């Protein structure tokens, strides 16, 4: 199993959106049985909560299943558990790097770094911008590019 964890600050806007969208993509590619997808926040304010209504609305608008998403906080054990840990912005990467503190060799990536042509390297936080559509477009491009990279690295075809 290839395990992918998306991380943002609150785990109610960007990373649950990425989790649902990535799961949708791997389902469409017939790779469901090969991967596990999850998301977490660096902060603990919303633990146990469903995604923000902006994220729920955008997933519904684009026909993506967002059922069962529930916020949780990242744990140090996640660094051993997951193969890919993907942050949404530079602040997430900084938090994660501090948390891992040399305890694991895992490489932590930023989602938009998989899209070299993207002008935006951080996925803006819609909790503050209110622009869930922009987040959706960036997360979509990032997830598609990430999946291509994982497929290439693991010689996967659906
Ligand atoms: P997210 O957005 O990191 O994309 O889930 C946020 C959600 C909540 C807060 C910050 C960011 N908050 O401060 O409560």
């Amino acid at each position: 199993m290839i395990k992918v964890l998306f991380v943002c600050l609150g785990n109610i806007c960007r990373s649950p959106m990425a989790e649902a969208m990535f799961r949708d993509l791997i389902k469409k590619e017939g790779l469901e049985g090969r991967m596990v997808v999850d998301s977490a926040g660096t902060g603990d304010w919303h633990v146990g909560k469903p995604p923000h209504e902006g994220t729920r609305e955008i997933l519904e608008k684009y026909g993506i299943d967002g059922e069962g998403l529930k916020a949780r906080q990242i744990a140090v054990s996640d660094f051993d558990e997951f193969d890919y840990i993907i942050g949404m912005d530079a602040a997430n990467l900084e938090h994660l790097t501090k948390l891992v503190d040399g305890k694991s060799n895992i490489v932590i990536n930023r989602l938009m770094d998989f899209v070299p042509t993207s002008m935006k390297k951080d996925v803006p936080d819609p909790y503050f911008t209110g622009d869930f559509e922009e987040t959706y477009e960036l997360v979509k491009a990032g997830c598609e590019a990430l999946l291509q990279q994982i497929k290439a690295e693991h010689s996967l075809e659906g």
Side-chain angles (χ1 to χ4, degrees):
M1 278 288 188
I2 301 161
K3 298 185 172 183
V4 181
L5 180 69
F6 294 100
V7 180
C8 63
L9 179 58
N11 194 211
I12 56 167
C13 296
R14 295 166 294 173
S15 62
M17 191 189 293
E19 177 186 343
M21 290 170 71
F22 197 77
R23 193 172 286 129
D24 186 69
L25 274 180
I26 62 176
K27 200 169 167 182
K28 285 180 178 144
E29 297 227 8
L31 292 168
E32 260 176 314
R34 309 294 304 270
M35 295 192 208
V36 168
V37 191
D38 195 5
S39 67
T42 56
D44 67 356
W45 311 284
H46 304 284
V47 170
K49 300 266 177 62
H52 189 286
E53 72 170 337
T55 287
R56 284 188 271 132
E57 281 170 10
I58 211 102
L59 291 174
E60 197 181 331
K61 175 176 172 187
Y62 290 100
I64 296 163
D65 185 3
E67 282 304 305
L69 295 166
K70 199 164 85 172
R72 73 172 180 92
Q73 190 176 27
I74 184 128
V76 175
S77 57
D78 287 323
F79 295 113
D80 294 325
E81 179 74 19
F82 287 88
D83 303 300
Y84 294 87
I85 297 191
I86 313 291
M88 295 294 135
D89 62 26
N92 302 151
L93 259 65
E94 204 180 313
H95 275 125
L96 290 167
T97 305
K98 273 196 189 133
L99 196 63
V100 73
D101 192 27
K103 292 186 202 78
S104 159
N105 294 325
I106 190 154
V107 179
I108 298 160
N109 290 112
R110 185 169 51 164
L111 184 65
M112 296 319 292
D113 285 338
F114 292 96
V115 188
T117 52
S118 177
M119 301 294 283
K120 297 230 164 147
K121 290 301 170 192
D122 289 332
V123 178
D125 194 337
Y127 189 76
F128 301 110
T129 67
D131 192 346
F132 285 83
E133 198 71 48
E134 174 191 45
T135 299
Y136 172 83
E137 294 299 334
L138 290 168
V139 169
K140 182 170 186 282
C143 283
E144 286 170 355
L146 172 64
L147 183 56
Q148 291 316 310
Q149 171 129 351
I150 294 177
K151 281 172 67 176
E153 283 175 8
H154 296 268
S155 307
L156 288 181
E157 279 308 326

